[in-house]
Amino acid sequence: MTLAIEKVGPALVVSPQGQLNSANAASVESELLRQIDNGENKVVLDLSSLDYISSAGLRVMLLAAKRLKQKGGALALCSIQPHVREVFDISGFLSILTVVDARDDALDLMA
C-alpha cells in the first residue's frame, strides 16, 4: 500500500494504491488523521488505484469523514473501481459518504 498525496487548490487529494486491509489500515488512518489535524479540511480520496478494501479500510474512511465533519470540513471519494464500489455498496457506505464518479467532480465539490 502506498499513499500519493498532493494539494490541488483547496483540496488535499489522497490516492491509495494497492490494498487497504487490516495489515496497513492503521498506518493509512494515522496519515489521514495527521493531515486533517494539521489543518486540511477538504479531502478527496481518489480510489482509482485501490484494488481491494477490507472492513478495516472502510473504518479508516469512516473515521476520516467523522473527523472532517467535526472540523467543518468535507470528504469526497471518487474513481472507485467496480469491485471496490461493491464493497462500499454492500456495507451501506455509499449512502453515508459523498461519492462521485470522477476526480474533477470531487474537486469541484471542494472549490
Side-chain angles (χ1 to χ4, degrees):
M1 161 65 55
T2 58
L3 281 182
I5 299 174
E6 63 180 308
K7 189 77 171 172
V8 181
L12 185 73
V13 179
V14 179
S15 304
Q17 300 164 346
Q19 297 188 357
L20 182 50
N21 54 39
S22 58
N24 56 28
S27 63
V28 173
E29 175 185 322
S30 174
E31 178 60 23
L32 276 175
L33 296 181
R34 186 180 70 76
Q35 294 285 344
I36 295 165
D37 290 342
N38 284 340
E40 296 294 344
N41 68 347
K42 295 181 178 187
V43 177
V44 171
L45 288 174
D46 180 342
L47 304 183
S48 59
S49 297
L50 187 68
D51 301 323
Y52 171 84
I53 189 166
S54 71
S55 58
L58 290 173
R59 181 181 168 277
V60 170
M61 306 283 172
L62 191 59
L63 282 172
K66 284 183 176 181
R67 181 72 56 93
L68 283 162
K69 187 174 183 179
Q70 290 169 350
K71 294 184 173 283
L75 174 72
L77 281 58
C78 67
S79 307
I80 305 175
Q81 294 187 37
H83 53 284
V84 173
R85 188 180 187 95
E86 188 175 338
V87 175
F88 278 91
D89 187 28
I90 290 169
S91 66
F93 277 48
L94 288 181
S95 62
I96 60 174
L97 297 174
T98 302
V99 179
V100 295
D101 290 334
R103 180 176 169 150
D104 286 343
D105 297 334
L107 291 170
D108 287 347
L109 289 174
M110 300 299 165

